[in-house]
């Protein structure tokens, strides 16, 4: 086991390096980088400066920015060095988790990500809890009652929910319950109310949960179908196996057969995805959900960073989330051994 873990950790190094190298290379060929954007902004304001009689300005009529100013901008953003030198310097800083400063927000990337995490953690973690706590019992009930009216009705509801995009459901919820055309029940903006700091601790908790009802509903409904059907199919496959018939022939009740024999085998493909889903729930963001409900989280940050060519944020968050993704995959693989003692990585060396 230890040898397998060490091999996986060592394989993460070239994987991480390759992801960063490819992304960094692509950014070198994307038009409209930070230097070009700043040049455009200065040129757009340069005419006004000249008209004001400033004499010497950044903008020189139809000539645009002079070469010295352009070089100053390149040096400001670090583009005065060769790409290979910049990549090596960037990766050296990333090894100690120094992600630099954002071009657009003018603050450190780490500080910026930390400020956005509460929104993403709220959406991801609550959606994760709801999906697993609803889908596993529902999937088991559907497997036991396979082909019944209950099975068909629940399948219809969850498939309809799966077919509706999250942002469309969010808009519907706003219209129905957010003071649109019907009822004004739930708030629409932010994680908490403006007077949240003045509330007592119980009122703070209720206020926070009240704000999260609509966005979590819109975010979680689409995931219910996949996990529910996965649970149902996994249990159905086990229920139809020979050892279940043998257990029944020995006189065991259906509850004993289901929870003492079927459950521990059928839950393996579901529980092995638990570590990865749990970890990524803290860091994922949804641009459309955050935009609809005015939540400033990781989804909106990622979109703005790409749009504004904010490379420190793009590359810094990619580096961090790639590490998180690789670790979560390793934990998912290791969970197979924990839940199924028949599996041993020591045999595959």
């Amino acid at each position: 086991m230890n040898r397998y873990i060490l091999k996986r950790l060592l394989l993460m190094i070239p994987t991480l390096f390759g992801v960063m190298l490819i992304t960094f290379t692509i950014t070198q060929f994307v038009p409209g980088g930070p230097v070009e954007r700043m040049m455009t902004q200065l040129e757009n304001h340069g005419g006004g400066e000249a008209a004001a009689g400033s004499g010497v300005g950044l903008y020189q009529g139809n000539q645009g920015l002079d070469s010295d100013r352009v070089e100053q901008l390149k040096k400001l953003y670090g583009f005065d060095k060769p790409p290979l030198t910049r990549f090596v310097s960037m990766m050296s800083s990333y090894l100690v988790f120094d992600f630099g400063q954002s071009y657009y927000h003018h603050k450190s990337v780490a500080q910026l990500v930390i400020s956005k995490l509460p929104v993403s953690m709220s959406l991801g973690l609550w959606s994760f809890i709801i999906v697993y706590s609803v889908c596993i019992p529902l999937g088991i009930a559907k497997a036991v009652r396979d082909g019944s009216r209950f099975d068909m009705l629940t399948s219809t509801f969850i498939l309809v929910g799966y077919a509706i995009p999250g942002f469309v459901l969010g808009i519907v919820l706003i219209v129905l319950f957010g003071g649109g055309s019907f009822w004004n029940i739930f708030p629409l903006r932010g994680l908490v109310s403006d007077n949240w700091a003045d509330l007592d601790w119980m009122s703070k908790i209720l206020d926070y949960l009240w704000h999260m009802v609509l966005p979590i509903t819109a975010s979680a409904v689409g995931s219910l179908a996949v996990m529910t059907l996965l649970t149902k199919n996994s249990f159905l496959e086990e229920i139809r196996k020979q050892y279940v018939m043998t257990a029944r022939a020995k006189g065991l009740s259906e509850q004993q057969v289901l929870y003492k024999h079927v459950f521990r085998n059928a839950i393996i493909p579901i529980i092995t995805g638990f570590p990865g889903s749990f970890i990524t729930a803290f860091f994922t963001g949804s641009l459309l959900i955050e935009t609809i409900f005015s939540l400033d989280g990781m989804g909106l940050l990622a979109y703005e960073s790409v749009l504004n060519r904010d490379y420190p944020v793009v590359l810094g968050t990619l580096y961090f989330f790639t590490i998180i993704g690789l670790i979560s995959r390793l934990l998912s693989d290791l969970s197979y051994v924990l839940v199924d003692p028949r599996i041993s990585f020591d045999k595959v060396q």
Side-chain angles (χ1 to χ4, degrees), residues 332-348:
S332 296
D333 291 343
L334 295 179
S335 64
Y336 275 99
V337 179
L338 297 177
V339 300
D340 190 353
R342 297 172 297 179
I343 299 176
S344 175
F345 291 121
D346 294 330
K347 300 177 181 178
V348 190

Side-chain angles (χ1 to χ4, degrees), residues 243-253 256-257 261:
Y243 75 88
V244 176
M245 298 179 61
T246 303
R248 287 171 176 166
K250 290 181 179 180
L252 296 179
S253 66
Q256 290 176 319
V257 171
H261 296 276

